Amino acid sequence: METQSATGEPAEPADDVTLDEIVALCKRRGFIFQSSEIYGGLGSTYDYGHYGVLLKNNVKAEWWRAMLTERDDIVALDSAILQHPRTWEASGHLEGFTDPLVDCRTCKLRFRADKLEDAQCGRKPSKHPGETDDCDLTDPRQFNLMFETHMGPVRDDASTVYLRPETAQGIFVNFKNVLQFSRRKPPFGIAQIGKSFRNEITPGNFIFRTREFEQMEMEFFVPPDEAERWFDYWLEERMRWYVELGIRPDHLRLRRHPPEELSHYSSATSDIEYLFPIGWSELEGIANRGDFDLRQHAKFSGEKLEYFDQQSGEGYVPHVIEPAAGADRAALAFIVDAYDTEEVEGRKRTVLRLHPRLAPVKVAVLPLVSRESMPERAREVYEQLRTRIAAEYDEGGSIGRRYRRQDEIGTPWGVTVDGQTAEDDTVTLRDRDSLAQTRVPIEGLADELAARIDQAWSSPKLD
Ligand code: ATP
């Protein structure tokens, strides 16, 4: 929760791609569409198409892998979007989850008072002919970002509930349940991925800031005197996650919040920022939330939210370190970082150089031509491969065109069945990045590709 954020500050523009190019590719290849497009679209909401679903699923799967599979001190949770309204009183959201809103008296547009770069009035002419003046702004007033709805058939104050603005509070209100049933002892974490909703005043920049988005949040409960150490630990771990998944390290940085920017609950927060086409902007926030949340929920619910240490015979309220990331924003960063164009044999090639673990499709199986039993043999190879890895079969159009299509969705390997396949059961294996083509036996191909997916990988854009 932030009343002021560091995002969107147009610092240095990113080197290689514009947001418009990303939006165009996402639409062209069916990753992401404007929501309700046939009705003219709904402001800042987006729908994920086939490859977008696969990519975002892979991002989330990698997060679960880092949180659950590769360690044993974190458990999973999936809490409801609707929670008891007292939750948001206790957490401070009802009172404090606000942004300062200002209106322009002339053009009627609304802005966040802490982000006025765009407050250039479209209507008010300036003294210079042909130009318009700055907006004529009202004083700021606080605007709560939570979406309200009503539970049950009667719409009154007593039935008001909120769509959660973050997943974290679902974790805190389950602290007692998880402690009891998992028999954990601090340090331990509770992780969840789920939708959150914020009635943002100035959403925009494609899926960077939307009103409905998915968060990947983990609350790590620690003995109070270990909080600082764990805060540093999670900063490092989370940076490592992005780098291991192929984000170029020189496009990532840590930015520590100065005291005046800290949320009321936080004693330290650092953002992992990525150099988006809009400039350096927040990708993930890591906060030391102290014991604020557990104490507040204990106060408001009357429940004891503590860890009781059998050895010392004393109870204590753990402190909490929270790495909070956005699945959509992470997906956008991975696409941006992977986007590349180059000239090959006089023609422009657009390619997503995604880490193979993130690529929506790992291997495309293509018959060279649609005759001489090549489609049948290619389908057999495809059926064999798809039981092990995400594969796609494609026989439509020229081979060059099919390769280009796969390049644009980031498929790391292409397997082509050709005339020689019938003679010796080999295929051509084409590498998305180097464009090298090698002859390999069909037997053992799934093992070979599975091994390649697990290898350490860094972006060829760094070469
Ligand atoms: P911002 O400063 O961008 O408003 P925040 O600091 O309010 O973000 P947090 O409350 O820390 O964000 O949420 C954690 C993460 O959730 C963010 O780092 C971001 O990846 C994601 N996130 C937050 N708000 C949005 C949004 N409106 N659209 C998409 N992702 C979001």
Side-chain angles (χ1 to χ4, degrees):
M1 179 169 89
E2 303 284 325
T3 51
Q4 195 196 347
S5 78
T7 50
E9 249 42 278
E12 311 139 52
D15 46 356
D16 34 19
V17 59
T18 65
L19 207 51
D20 285 347
E21 285 172 305
I22 296 295
V23 175
L25 173 79
C26 285
K27 182 160 187 196
R28 189 165 71 242
R29 288 292 165 232
F31 279 85
I32 297 165
F33 309 110
Q34 171 72 65
S35 164
S36 318
E37 202 175 53
I38 60 166
Y39 290 104
L42 179 68
S44 290
T45 50
Y46 290 92
D47 299 340
Y48 284 74
H50 183 68
Y51 297 123
V53 171
L54 298 182
L55 171 65
K56 191 150 74 126
N57 274 351
N58 291 343
V59 171
K60 292 186 282 183
E62 288 303 324
W63 191 85
W64 279 128
R65 183 211 293 263
M67 292 294 162
L68 300 181
T69 320
E70 289 176 352
R71 51 194 307 144
D72 57 11
D73 54 358
I74 298 178
V75 294
L77 181 78
D78 188 355
S79 69
I81 285 172
L82 299 176
Q83 293 175 222
H84 195 290
R86 292 276 282 168
T87 307
W88 310 111
E89 275 179 59
S91 68
H93 281 80
L94 209 53
E95 207 171 308
F97 194 52
T98 54
D99 273 339
L101 170 77
V102 290
D103 295 284
C104 172
R105 294 186 184 92
T106 314
C107 70
K108 309 291 179 213
L109 285 179
R110 298 202 145 148
F111 305 95
R112 258 171 72 170
D114 55 336
K115 292 200 177 300
L116 288 174
E117 307 90 42
D118 299 328
Q120 185 73 35
C121 189
R123 295 232 185 118
K124 198 171 154 218
S126 87
K127 288 185 196 114
H128 307 283
E131 290 180 21
T132 52
D133 214 341
D134 289 346
C135 283
D136 176 15
L137 298 171
T138 59
D139 285 339
R141 59 201 158 90
Q142 293 301 322
F143 171 77
N144 196 300
L145 301 184
M146 283 199 293
F147 275 97
E148 266 182 43
T149 187
H150 293 269
M151 205 138 167
V154 184
R155 293 178 73 88
D156 60 12
D157 285 352
S159 70
T160 302
V161 289
Y162 302 91
L163 303 188
R164 68 177 174 205
E166 62 175 31
T167 62
Q169 298 305 323
I171 296 180
F172 295 125
V173 300
N174 275 292
F175 174 77
K176 202 173 166 187
N177 283 336
V178 175
L179 196 62
Q180 197 171 350
F181 291 102
S182 69
R183 303 200 188 182
R184 298 283 162 161
K185 162 180 193 297
F188 80 98
I190 307 177
Q192 90 165 316
I193 297 182
K195 286 246 168 148
S196 291
F197 301 82
R198 295 181 187 179
N199 203 357
E200 301 274 7
I201 298 172
T202 47
N205 293 318
F206 196 36
I207 55 168
F208 179 84
R209 187 184 303 285
T210 50
R211 295 195 168 106
E212 174 180 346
F213 53 97
E214 254 182 308
Q215 288 189 303
M216 311 187 286
E217 296 196 294
M218 195 273 291
E219 308 302 322
F220 203 70
F221 300 91
V222 301
D225 59 351
E226 293 180 21
E228 257 176 70
R229 179 166 77 75
W230 282 108
F231 177 70
D232 293 339
Y233 169 88
W234 279 108
L235 285 184
E236 223 171 275
E237 275 299 289
R238 295 305 302 147
M239 279 292 263
R240 196 164 63 89
W241 187 78
Y242 291 103
V243 171
E244 281 186 5
L245 286 173
I247 297 267
R248 291 163 295 169
D250 62 352
H251 281 57
L252 280 176
R253 73 176 186 195
L254 274 177
R255 190 184 68 84
R256 207 178 170 103
H257 287 204
E260 65 277 11
E261 203 185 314
L262 290 176
S263 312
H264 58 280
Y265 55 76
S266 172
S267 61
T269 299
S270 286
D271 289 342
I272 296 179
E273 296 189 334
Y274 176 72
L275 186 54
F276 285 95
I278 54 169
W280 285 103
S281 306
E282 175 179 337
L283 188 53
E284 167 161 354
I286 293 135
N288 179 348
R289 299 178 75 119
D291 58 5
F292 175 83
D293 304 272
L294 289 181
R295 282 201 189 280
Q296 283 293 100
H297 286 301
K299 191 167 126 194
F300 278 71
S301 68
E303 292 279 346
K304 208 169 186 183
L305 301 178
E306 289 186 2
Y307 172 72
F308 185 78
D309 190 344
Q310 302 284 355
Q311 265 165 350
S312 69
E314 280 177 32
Y316 66 87
V317 181
H319 282 214
V320 177
I321 309 302
E322 173 196 77
D328 312 85
R329 212 176 269 189
L332 179 62
F334 286 121
I335 295 174
V336 166
D337 210 70
Y339 186 96
D340 204 5
T341 53
E342 64 181 3
E343 188 122 333
V344 182
E345 289 162 12
R347 285 182 55 201
K348 187 178 154 201
R349 175 172 93 115
T350 303
V351 51
L352 279 191
R353 302 191 191 278
L354 287 167
H355 189 300
R357 290 217 302 254
L358 293 177
V361 176
K362 316 298 181 203
V363 59
V365 185
L366 320 165
L368 182 64
V369 289
S370 291
R371 37 174 217 276
E372 295 161 35
S373 303
M374 286 181 212
E376 292 75 15
R377 188 71 179 107
R379 259 213 95 83
E380 265 173 42
V381 174
Y382 159 70
E383 304 277 347
Q384 219 177 318
L385 289 178
R386 76 168 182 190
T387 59
R388 300 274 305 280
I389 50 182
E392 192 170 275
Y393 173 78
D394 187 3
E395 63 173 55
S398 75
I399 189 78
R401 199 183 243 171
R402 281 177 280 158
Y403 281 148
R404 297 298 165 108
R405 206 151 54 205
Q406 295 297 333
D407 288 341
E408 281 201 326
I409 61 164
T411 307
W413 300 289
V415 162
T416 305
V417 168
D418 55 21
Q420 198 180 323
T421 308
E423 291 163 26
D424 61 5
D425 277 335
T426 62
V427 286
T428 309
L429 184 62
R430 173 189 184 265
D431 184 277
R432 172 195 71 197
D433 297 319
S434 67
L435 293 175
Q437 301 208 13
T438 43
R439 200 87 215 158
V440 294
I442 292 170
E443 200 182 331
L445 189 54
D447 287 336
E448 166 65 25
L449 295 178
R452 287 190 190 199
I453 290 168
D454 282 340
Q455 271 167 15
W457 189 91
S458 70
S459 172
K461 287 168 82 175
L462 288 170
D463 296 342

